[in-house]
Amino acid sequence: MRFSTKSIHAGQEPDPLSGAVMTPVYLTSTYVQEELGKNKGYEYSRVSNPTRDALEKNIAALESGKHGLAFGSGMAAIDAVFRLLKPGDHVLVSHNVYGGTYRIGKMVLEEYGLQFDFVDTTKLQLVKQAIRKNTKMIFVETPTNPTMEITDLTVIARLAKKHKLISACDNTFATPYLQRPLEYGFDLVVHSLTKYLNGHSDMLGGMVVTSNTAITERLRFLQKAVGGILSPFDAWLCLRGTKTLAVRMERHGESAMEVAEWLSKQKRIKQVYYPGLPQHPQHSLAKRQMKNFGGMISFDLGSLAAAKKFLKRVRLCALAESLGGVETLISHPATMTHASIPYEQRQRIGVTDGLVRISVGLEDVEDIISDLSSSLRVR
Ligand SMILES: *Cc1c(COP(=O)(O)O)cnc(C)c1O
């Protein structure tokens, strides 16, 4: 089966009881047992639930993995991934990751004995130098948020194998429609379902996909033992989302390309970060690794004052955190998504005070550009 067919059918057999074409929402905490030790495969919904199972199978298939494990948010999924490690273990993380990934590493898990270092994973030499004796995992995000750097998945997977590190990729920005890290040799993929996979900004969720049996067993145990699982209703909402993933990602990519080209011609914009632009430093790698360049763009207006003025003016583009929904969202990383990163480090990774990030939605692209244009014109 090809991608769109899988997105509509994988994990979604007609309901055995009624023949319902759409997977029902199994709103139940528990399941009756026929006799001691005999059930229909379900005992308690923290452990498993048919609606959650359907979503886990669906996204596992989309990522070319064997197993999916759904969590109550992207952060709960990332937390579970780091809990594969033990106190004293060291993790290498892409330096421009999602702010919450930085926060959970530095401000939560380091207190429990894990060690985190943030490196520029676009440069193999720097990654090699950062590997220590106790390094056990490399966690990359590509494209990175918000400066859209591209990490070479083949190269990192190979390096991880050589040093026996667990390789993990946060594939939230690209989605499996654009790139499938497991096919490049990664051990696991993690997602915030909240973004493109659900696509309608009406739920939160997270997912880990892997084909590795030991990792799956540990994560299943963590779902049960920790309990940060996805609710059946949110699983059902996300199943609606994944059915249209391919058409949505096509349109997100097409519109973002147009917006990025328009932005790059505006004099008041100092820099545009979009892997689809030929001037992007890893444009050719992005072209090789991704099906299109996605719906996320960042651009630099030069100063906090200019960014503030611009963001006050936008009408159609909603000033909000998050991304990947049908509606265009615009945000200011330095004070919003990346506020938990110290100022010095923000400067180093290019999250300047004038940087604005846009998640290009599915509105008519002319209307998006017109909103940006009128907001930019005002001094
Ligand atoms: C949003 C996001 C997360 C966190 O996901 P939540 O569902 O908000 O917990 C992790 N990684 C990336 C790249 C994200 O965009």
Side-chain angles (χ1 to χ4, degrees), residues 121-125 127-128 131 138 140 150-163 167 181 184-186 285 288-289:
T121 52
T122 67
K123 301 201 172 65
L124 179 65
Q125 203 48 41
V127 182
K128 277 185 180 163
I131 294 174
I138 178 156
V140 306
I150 309 291
T151 289
D152 191 324
L153 294 172
T154 311
V155 163
I156 296 295
R158 202 179 298 142
L159 183 75
K161 282 222 163 63
K162 190 173 152 203
H163 293 269
S167 49
Y184 293 101
F186 266 69
L285 169 61
R288 205 162 63 232
Q289 188 164 284

Side-chain angles (χ1 to χ4, degrees), residues 25 43 89 111 156 166-167 171 185 194 208 240 324-325 327 359 361 368 372 379:
V25 197
E43 293 166 0
D89 289 350
E111 289 181 22
I156 296 295
I166 297 174
S167 49
N171 205 26
T194 316
V208 182
R240 294 185 77 168
E327 67 293 317
S359 167
I368 300 170
L372 297 174
R379 276 276 182 206

Side-chain angles (χ1 to χ4, degrees), residues 87-296:
D89 289 350
H90 174 244
V91 191
L92 283 176
V93 184
S94 295
H95 69 166
N96 273 1
V97 273
Y98 179 69
T101 305
Y102 178 87
R103 183 172 50 210
I104 198 172
K106 280 300 195 194
M107 293 153 90
V108 180
L109 296 172
E110 283 205 344
E111 289 181 22
Y112 294 85
L114 294 186
Q115 297 163 19
F116 291 84
D117 263 324
F118 296 81
V119 291
D120 182 351
T121 52
T122 67
K123 301 201 172 65
L124 179 65
Q125 203 48 41
L126 294 182
V127 182
K128 277 185 180 163
Q129 283 165 8
I131 294 174
R132 302 194 211 144
K133 267 209 187 78
N134 59 340
T135 307
K136 292 287 158 61
M137 180 183 285
I138 178 156
F139 185 103
V140 306
E141 199 180 302
T142 178
T144 53
N145 177 22
T147 52
M148 307 299 148
E149 289 174 354
I150 309 291
T151 289
D152 191 324
L153 294 172
T154 311
V155 163
I156 296 295
R158 202 179 298 142
L159 183 75
K161 282 222 163 63
K162 190 173 152 203
H163 293 269
K164 298 196 165 57
L165 315 179
I166 297 174
S167 49
C169 179
D170 184 333
N171 205 26
T172 301
F173 268 40
T175 82
Y177 182 68
L178 302 188
Q179 83 194 0
R180 290 178 289 280
L182 300 183
E183 291 179 7
Y184 293 101
F186 266 69
D187 294 317
L188 68 90
V189 168
V190 58
H191 274 286
S192 168
L193 303 174
T194 316
K195 317 296 167 54
Y196 288 107
L197 287 175
N198 175 58
H200 295 74
S201 306
D202 51 13
M203 56 76 81
L204 264 86
M207 181 74 71
V208 182
V209 177
T210 180
S211 294
N212 180 303
T213 313
I215 291 176
T216 305
E217 277 170 12
R218 183 66 186 164
L219 291 175
R220 282 269 172 247
F221 177 76
L222 286 173
Q223 276 185 321
K224 176 165 83 174
V226 181
I229 45 107
L230 188 67
S231 81
F233 189 67
D234 288 335
W236 180 81
L237 281 171
C238 192
L239 273 175
R240 294 185 77 168
T242 57
K243 289 187 176 70
T244 55
L245 183 64
V247 283
R248 285 188 289 109
M249 292 315 291
E250 278 297 328
R251 178 71 176 270
H252 280 300
E254 245 170 62
S255 295
M257 192 70 213
E258 259 186 70
V259 172
E261 278 169 353
W262 181 84
L263 286 168
S264 65
K265 288 183 204 126
Q266 307 308 308
K267 283 206 194 70
R268 288 199 185 156
I269 293 175
K270 315 286 174 237
Q271 198 170 348
V272 181
Y273 300 90
Y274 186 64
L277 294 174
Q279 63 264 37
H280 184 283
Q282 291 115 16
H283 174 64
S284 60
L285 169 61
K287 215 167 156 176
R288 205 162 63 232
Q289 188 164 284
M290 303 168 75
K291 192 172 165 76
N292 72 35
F293 305 101
M296 299 300 299

Side-chain angles (χ1 to χ4, degrees), residues 324-343:
V326 292
E327 67 293 317
T328 297
L329 296 178
I330 201 157
S331 70
H332 185 246
T335 58
M336 295 167 76
T337 47
H338 289 59
S340 62
I341 300 175
Y343 178 81

Side-chain angles (χ1 to χ4, degrees), residues 311-312 314-321 328-332 336:
L311 291 171
K312 204 171 167 194
V314 285
R315 289 287 168 267
L316 176 65
C317 305
L319 178 61
E321 299 209 8
T328 297
L329 296 178
I330 201 157
S331 70
H332 185 246
M336 295 167 76

Side-chain angles (χ1 to χ4, degrees), residues 30-106:
T30 192
Y31 308 83
V32 72
Q33 311 200 2
E34 287 157 52
E35 56 180 87
L36 280 182
K38 196 168 170 201
N39 59 47
K40 295 191 158 81
Y42 296 96
E43 293 166 0
Y44 189 64
S45 278
R46 176 159 24 81
V47 181
S48 58
N49 173 282
T51 318
R52 197 176 90 211
D53 280 2
L55 181 69
E56 290 179 337
K57 287 191 179 121
N58 181 249
I59 295 178
L62 296 184
E63 282 286 7
S64 300
K66 285 200 184 124
H67 309 285
L69 299 105
F71 293 86
S73 69
M75 287 322 303
I78 290 170
D79 178 63
V81 166
F82 289 145
R83 280 175 200 258
L84 293 167
L85 304 174
K86 300 250 171 340
D89 289 350
H90 174 244
V91 191
L92 283 176
V93 184
S94 295
H95 69 166
N96 273 1
V97 273
Y98 179 69
T101 305
Y102 178 87
R103 183 172 50 210
I104 198 172
K106 280 300 195 194

